[in-house]
Amino acid sequence: MARSVAAKKSVKQAKPPYVLDEQVGFILRQVWQRHSSIFSRDIGTNLTPTQWAALSKLAETGPCSQNQLGRLTAMDVATIKGVIDRLTARGLTETSQDPEDGRRLLVSLTRAGQQLAEKLAPNAIAITRETLAPLDAKERELLMGLLNKLR
């Protein structure tokens, strides 16, 4: 009996074909969770990452259709509608008719939304910096290049 236990211990277990800790999706989710925690702690106001994405993209591009804003921020139609509804309820965005196409609404920042986007931009930059802090400058550049290649 002792011999069979020793024999079993000497047989090296084969590596399973799927190891969760080695999967890109799992690693990306863990990195996102870390980044999201830093974002929630440091953004400085009660905004979600998707709300910040909409605010910052509007600050960057100016007024655009809700559909276009959704594409620019990688949000589906339902998600961007909810985001804009919540931002509008907070007085940060507003909609108006597109002068070139009366059937389309344009989303734009209110004065309060523009001021908030300007005020929070340094926080957002610091959040990115902290997320990438474990990497040196060359690694950060490489990571961002590779991530951009994957999207």
Side-chain angles (χ1 to χ4, degrees):
M1 188 65 140
R3 186 174 181 196
S4 65
V5 170
K8 285 181 183 177
K9 286 185 178 182
S10 69
V11 174
K12 190 174 184 180
Q13 278 196 328
K15 182 178 174 183
Y18 187 91
V19 177
L20 183 62
D21 290 338
E22 296 174 358
Q23 305 310 310
V24 65
F26 184 67
I27 294 166
L28 288 172
R29 186 165 59 84
Q30 288 178 313
V31 172
W32 169 250
Q33 287 171 332
R34 180 174 165 269
H35 173 76
S36 186
S37 175
I38 295 165
F39 179 91
S40 295
R41 183 193 72 209
D42 293 350
I43 195 60
T45 191
N46 190 21
L47 283 177
T48 66
T50 53
Q51 290 169 346
W52 170 247
L55 277 179
S56 64
K57 186 52 80 172
L58 285 170
E60 178 185 334
T61 65
C64 65
S65 73
Q66 189 169 285
N67 195 328
Q68 176 68 10
L69 183 59
R71 285 192 300 275
L72 292 171
T73 57
M75 290 183 232
D76 62 42
V77 174
T79 301
I80 192 63
K81 180 182 181 340
V83 166
I84 295 305
D85 287 349
R86 286 184 286 285
L87 291 173
T88 299
R90 291 177 64 180
L92 300 172
T93 58
E94 60 190 1
T95 57
S96 59
Q97 289 216 290
D98 184 338
E100 295 177 17
D101 183 349
R103 299 167 296 172
R104 186 169 59 179
L105 289 177
L106 294 179
V107 180
S108 59
L109 293 177
T110 62
R111 182 171 167 84
Q114 182 66 43
Q115 289 172 340
L116 186 62
E118 290 170 8
K119 177 184 171 194
L120 296 181
N123 297 36
I125 292 166
I127 289 163
T128 296
R129 193 176 303 120
E130 184 174 341
T131 298
L132 297 174
L135 307 176
D136 65 33
K138 193 169 189 166
E139 289 170 329
R140 287 191 297 272
E141 185 179 332
L142 177 61
L143 175 65
M144 294 305 292
L146 292 171
L147 289 172
N148 279 307
K149 193 172 183 177
L150 288 175
R151 65 170 164 179

